């Protein structure tokens, strides 16, 4: 599914199951919470902190999907075509960063 269709799917889900979008500030708080859950898994599973037994069953993919869902909600409710914005950003990064990354001795 591309980003545009994901935005449509989220909007349909909101209309059919969620009653309405939470306001932008609530969704921003929700996004922060979801990113925190991703950070916790990454820090404990891949970082230096030990992972609690209760955290070992947590699914990183599911938590990342939660982040994407809330980002799509925010894009929908603020009128952002996220597919166009992403395509534009990827083009900009490709032009701006290709040589810089290829020539970065730290990445070799």
């Amino acid at each position: 599914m591309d980003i545009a269709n994901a935005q449509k799917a989220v909007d349909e889900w909101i209309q059919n199951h969620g009653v309405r979008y939470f306001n932008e500030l609530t969704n921003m708080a929700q996004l922060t919470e979801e990113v925190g859950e991703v950070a916790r898994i990454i820090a404990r599973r891949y970082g230096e902190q030990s992972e609690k037994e209760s955290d070992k069953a947590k699914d990183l993919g599911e938590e990342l999907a939660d982040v994407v869902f809330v980002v799509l909600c925010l894009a929908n409710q603020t009128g952002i075509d996220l597919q166009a914005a992403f395509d534009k950003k990827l083009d900009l990064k490709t032009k701006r960063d290709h040589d810089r990354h290829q020539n970065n001795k730290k990445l070799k």
Side-chain angles (χ1 to χ4, degrees):
M1 177 180 300
D2 63 13
I3 297 171
N5 283 322
Q7 276 189 256
K8 289 177 188 171
V10 165
D11 191 60
E12 289 173 8
W13 188 93
I14 294 292
Q15 301 308 317
N16 293 321
H17 306 286
V19 180
R20 64 172 178 80
Y21 286 93
F22 295 129
N23 69 42
E24 296 83 354
L25 288 175
T26 299
N27 273 338
M28 188 62 231
Q30 186 69 32
L31 179 60
T32 302
E33 181 181 328
E34 297 299 349
V35 169
E37 291 176 18
V38 169
R40 180 182 179 97
I41 292 171
I42 296 287
R44 292 170 192 240
R45 196 164 294 164
Y46 303 101
E48 296 175 342
Q49 288 186 317
S50 60
E51 191 169 23
K52 293 179 180 178
E53 199 59 42
S54 61
D55 288 342
K56 289 183 178 179
K58 295 199 184 236
D59 183 346
L60 179 58
E62 184 178 331
E63 297 305 333
L64 287 168
D66 286 341
V67 169
V68 172
F69 185 90
V70 179
V71 167
L72 293 169
C73 286
L74 284 165
N76 284 349
Q77 66 193 130
T78 58
I80 302 296
D81 176 343
L82 203 52
Q83 183 72 61
F86 181 82
D87 291 344
K88 182 178 176 182
K89 178 56 72 174
L90 190 58
D91 184 56
L92 175 109
K93 289 178 74 57
T94 300
K95 291 174 183 171
R96 181 189 69 198
D97 297 337
H98 176 78
D99 290 338
R100 181 170 67 98
H101 291 312
Q102 292 298 319
N103 297 325
N104 183 347
K105 293 176 185 171
K106 296 176 189 176
L107 298 176
K108 306 254 181 202

